[in-house]
Amino acid sequence: MNIQLQRPLAIFDLETTGTNTVSDRIVEIAIVKTFPNGEQQRKRRLVNPQMPIPKGAEDIHGISDEMVKDAPTFKEIANEINQFLDNCDIGGYNSNKFDIPVLVEEFLRVGLDFNISGRKFVDVQKVFHKMEQRTLGAAYKFYCQKSLEDAHTAEADAMATWEVMEAQIIRYPNIGNTVDSILAFTGEEKFVDLSRRFILQNDIVVFNFGKHKGKSVSDVLRHEPQYYDWMMKGDFSLHTKQIISEILNQTLLKK
């Protein structure tokens, strides 16, 4: 094993009903969990999304309504997935912008709070794009000299991502061989919510969009409390709404 781990690293991949991180649903999840001693555990589940799978999505991943009609819903497997990911850093391919936000939305939708605090998020695509600017299939061919069979099946994509990361560590000594060194190379984003509506600037949570971009969230909520109501009624992710509610409560406590 090329990477040195301080705690388990869970590389995962999702197949979904579409690309909207707020409204689309998981139809397949696969996780490759690697422990510091090199031991690996894998988990793969088909998921009934409780909504029709659009043809465009089915054409990509090959999962049909018929295939998932008897599969468990995410609510039925949420505790199992949460426990499998417990105490793990999280990795994937384009996972920071898609897979992780979708997964957290699914957890929140069924009333489970998936804690992102203290976890490290390794997005293998960020290393690849800094070095080569290609897709996962091209990355697998480039780094591992293999063709990615069964592309867009979650287990194949998750395992290929793990192999790509291992090969990147050999090819690019300058990125190091720890989660911390890889994040130092790719640039660890100081986001507060997974939709990047709030970010940290000088340890202060500020808006990252709209008319209040760059302003302290606490200050805005203190002087314009109706902005909170507007966001809670708007088409924002559940995680974004959870974070702004926490900030509002902290702001009220300081009055």
Side-chain angles (χ1 to χ4, degrees), residues 11-13 29-33 41-45 77 80-85 154-155 158:
I11 297 279
F12 82 107
D13 188 77
I29 180 170
I31 309 168
V32 178
K33 181 163 73 171
Q41 294 178 357
R42 302 187 194 183
K43 183 177 290 290
R44 172 188 174 268
R45 299 297 297 267
I77 66 168
E80 172 191 341
I81 299 299
N82 199 19
Q83 290 172 15
F84 194 73
L85 295 174
E155 185 171 11

Side-chain angles (χ1 to χ4, degrees), residues 109-129:
R109 202 173 282 121
V110 300
L112 271 181
D113 184 8
F114 182 73
N115 186 16
I116 67 171
S117 177
R119 294 183 191 260
K120 291 169 182 168
F121 299 97
V122 183
D123 193 333
V124 172
Q125 187 193 59
K126 294 179 72 174
V127 176
F128 185 46
H129 280 187

Side-chain angles (χ1 to χ4, degrees), residues 7-91:
R7 65 177 181 176
L9 175 63
I11 297 279
F12 82 107
D13 188 77
L14 303 178
E15 303 302 338
T16 63
T17 58
T19 58
N20 188 311
T21 57
V22 174
S23 61
D24 277 306
R25 302 290 191 268
I26 296 171
V27 298
E28 182 184 21
I29 180 170
I31 309 168
V32 178
K33 181 163 73 171
T34 304
F35 294 86
N37 65 2
E39 177 190 346
Q40 282 189 337
Q41 294 178 357
R42 302 187 194 183
K43 183 177 290 290
R44 172 188 174 268
R45 299 297 297 267
L46 286 174
V47 183
N48 185 333
Q50 299 180 288
M51 64 181 290
I53 300 173
K55 184 178 185 307
E58 182 183 342
D59 288 345
I60 291 172
H61 50 57
I63 299 172
S64 65
D65 292 331
E66 178 67 21
M67 291 171 63
V68 297
K69 67 181 178 66
D70 296 321
T73 65
F74 187 83
K75 184 175 183 178
E76 292 171 320
I77 66 168
N79 280 312
E80 172 191 341
I81 299 299
N82 199 19
Q83 290 172 15
F84 194 73
L85 295 174
D86 186 47
N87 195 39
C88 291
D89 290 326
I90 307 294

Side-chain angles (χ1 to χ4, degrees), residues 2 58-60 72 94 99 105 122 135 146 220 223:
N2 299 312
E58 182 183 342
D59 288 345
I60 291 172
N94 193 34
D99 299 81
E105 282 295 294
V122 183
T135 62
K146 300 177 185 177
V220 171
H223 297 105

Side-chain angles (χ1 to χ4, degrees), residues 93 124-125 127-135 143:
Y93 194 87
V124 172
Q125 187 193 59
V127 176
F128 185 46
H129 280 187
K130 280 200 165 208
M131 295 295 189
E132 308 298 341
Q133 303 289 316
R134 300 285 181 88
T135 62
Y143 289 111

